[in-house]
Amino acid sequence: MTLVTATDLTRHFPLPRAHLFDRTRTLHALDGVSLTLSEGEALGIVGESGCGKSTLGRLVQGLDRPTSGSVVRPEGPRIRVIQTIYQNPLDSLDPRMRVGRQIIEPLVIHGIGSAADHEARLANLMAQVELPAELADRLPGQLSGGQAQRVVIARALSLAPRVLICDEPVAALDAPVARAVTALLDRLRTDRQMGLIFISHDIGTVAELCQRVAVMYLGEIVEEGPVGQVLTAPRHPYTQGLLSAIPRPDPGGRPSPPMLGGEPASPIDPTPGCRLAPRCPYAQEVCRTVTPKLRGRSHRAACHFTAHD
Ligand SMILES: Nc1ncnc2c1ncn2[C@@H]1O[C@H](COP(=O)(O)OP(=O)(O)OP(=O)(O)O)[C@@H](O)[C@H]1O
Ligand SMILES: [Mg+2]
């Protein structure tokens, strides 16, 4: 069953003019992004810093309104059906409130259940995120980063969301702790048939956790499909460049040279055509004038010069 359908989402930010007679400039954080998320499915979102991943998450949850386009979410109060967890758990926790209390705080705020129910719910939620019960009396500052992130996850779960958006949830954690938290998210997805949107710079983690992946560049999805296909047989030059930039153990071989030169272009007042064209080794005249559309059935790519099924 489909939980989220985003259609043609666009989010533009008008920039303040430096001088009275300057032309208004517009930052295109997101341009024409469509995606779907099904029950029990993990969708990875990857792409360089500033490509619009967090903006997309905010629009999907409904924390921000699109300039145009629409999002269809599961039935029910928006705050309860979709929850987001962020990179730094301490940013989302109250430093002066005991963590047990914070985990059930959403139930208190929304008036769900009695005090006795909350007690039982707390024990259950802490067990689900594999936190020892005695940590409930601690303050956030008395927890490790991994424990604090588990508290944030438990609090998000208290409202039984259908969709969990994870915006770089393990980026601030040491590798073994990050792996454990990722494994927890995977188990919660399976057990609860939650939909996960997993925003990450770490393609290795996306490969392990996600069934599908969307690759973003400058506010657009340039490639999307089953994770195995996109990461082993990328069709878009940007995805190819992103993957070739990952250092990998390469017995005997030389590391492949990075495919994409230069920096990402500016998201301010983008010109028509493919946004990768200035950096793309395959760019032709048409790429500078005609915007390529996502084409293909389950594995889609937006490039004039690639194979599509
Ligand atoms: N409120 C805002 N006002 C103006 N510009 C914004 C605003 N929010 C985001 N942007 C711009 O929109 C673009 C996308 O930002 P976003 O935070 O979605 O990127 P991101 O892919 O999440 O990056 P990162 O990987 O660094 O978290 C960036 O150019 C950013 O500067
Ligand atoms: Mg972000």
Side-chain angles (χ1 to χ4, degrees):
M1 197 187 106
T2 304
L3 293 175
V4 174
T5 305
T7 308
D8 228 357
L9 282 184
T10 293
R11 181 64 167 102
H12 292 171
F13 294 103
L15 297 178
R17 285 180 289 191
H19 301 286
L20 183 58
F21 299 109
D22 283 355
R23 208 165 46 84
T24 324
R25 300 185 313 150
T26 305
L27 189 149
H28 293 225
L30 217 58
D31 257 341
V33 165
S34 298
L35 59 82
T36 61
L37 180 73
S38 299
E39 240 167 27
E41 178 182 52
L43 169 68
I45 310 276
V46 299
E48 283 160 298
S49 185
C51 70
K53 304 181 294 296
S54 295
T55 303
L56 176 59
R58 293 173 58 79
L59 291 178
V60 167
Q61 190 179 0
L63 298 175
D64 184 19
R65 289 164 66 87
T67 305
S68 63
S70 62
V71 182
V72 179
R73 304 179 185 86
E75 296 281 311
R78 203 165 55 199
I79 184 76
R80 294 195 212 166
V81 293
I82 304 187
Q83 291 278 308
T84 302
I85 62 171
Y86 297 95
Q87 175 165 341
N88 187 350
L90 295 185
D91 286 347
S92 345
L93 294 172
D94 180 337
R96 290 150 311 188
M97 195 192 284
R98 304 206 178 273
V99 298
R101 168 77 194 184
Q102 297 199 57
I103 290 173
I104 50 154
E105 183 79 348
L107 299 173
V108 177
I109 291 173
H110 294 280
I112 304 166
S114 65
D117 296 334
H118 294 169
E119 194 97 347
R121 284 291 290 151
L122 174 60
N124 180 277
L125 287 163
M126 290 189 73
Q128 282 200 48
V129 299
E130 296 153 6
L131 274 178
E134 63 266 22
L135 293 188
D137 291 332
R138 298 228 188 135
L139 294 171
Q142 298 167 322
L143 299 179
S144 71
Q147 289 168 337
Q149 193 62 295
R150 287 170 194 269
V151 168
V152 172
I153 295 169
R155 189 181 56 182
L157 294 179
S158 71
L159 293 170
R162 308 288 305 281
V163 176
L164 190 64
I165 300 177
C166 308
D167 193 340
E168 302 274 9
V170 299
L173 305 176
D174 292 342
V177 181
R179 270 197 296 280
V181 172
T182 305
L184 169 66
L185 291 171
D186 191 45
R187 187 170 58 67
L188 293 171
R189 173 186 65 79
T190 322
D191 291 354
R192 298 168 161 253
Q193 285 299 293
M194 271 192 314
L196 281 192
I197 295 183
F198 190 79
I199 298 172
S200 180
H201 281 92
D202 180 5
I203 292 174
T205 304
V206 168
E208 274 172 38
L209 181 73
C210 299
Q211 290 79 53
R212 283 194 304 134
V213 60
V215 181
M216 293 184 62
Y217 184 71
L218 281 179
E220 298 177 328
I221 292 179
V222 296
E223 182 160 2
E224 192 261 320
V227 84
Q229 289 181 33
V230 173
L231 300 183
T232 57
R235 290 180 179 169
H236 196 284
Y238 178 69
T239 315
Q240 293 165 3
L242 204 61
L243 293 171
S244 77
I246 301 173
R248 58 182 89 220
D250 187 1
R254 276 170 292 155
S256 47
M259 253 196 46
L260 304 169
E263 293 290 308
S266 163
I268 299 166
D269 295 335
T271 51
C274 175
R275 291 187 185 168
L276 188 66
R279 294 172 82 187
C280 179
Y282 310 116
Q284 307 283 322
E285 195 45 41
V286 62
C287 306
R288 293 180 232 287
T289 49
V290 180
T291 306
K293 291 195 164 50
L294 273 175
R295 283 187 296 155
R297 280 198 292 274
S298 74
H299 181 179
R300 305 182 298 153
C303 174
H304 292 300
F305 296 102
T306 195
H308 302 281
D309 58 21

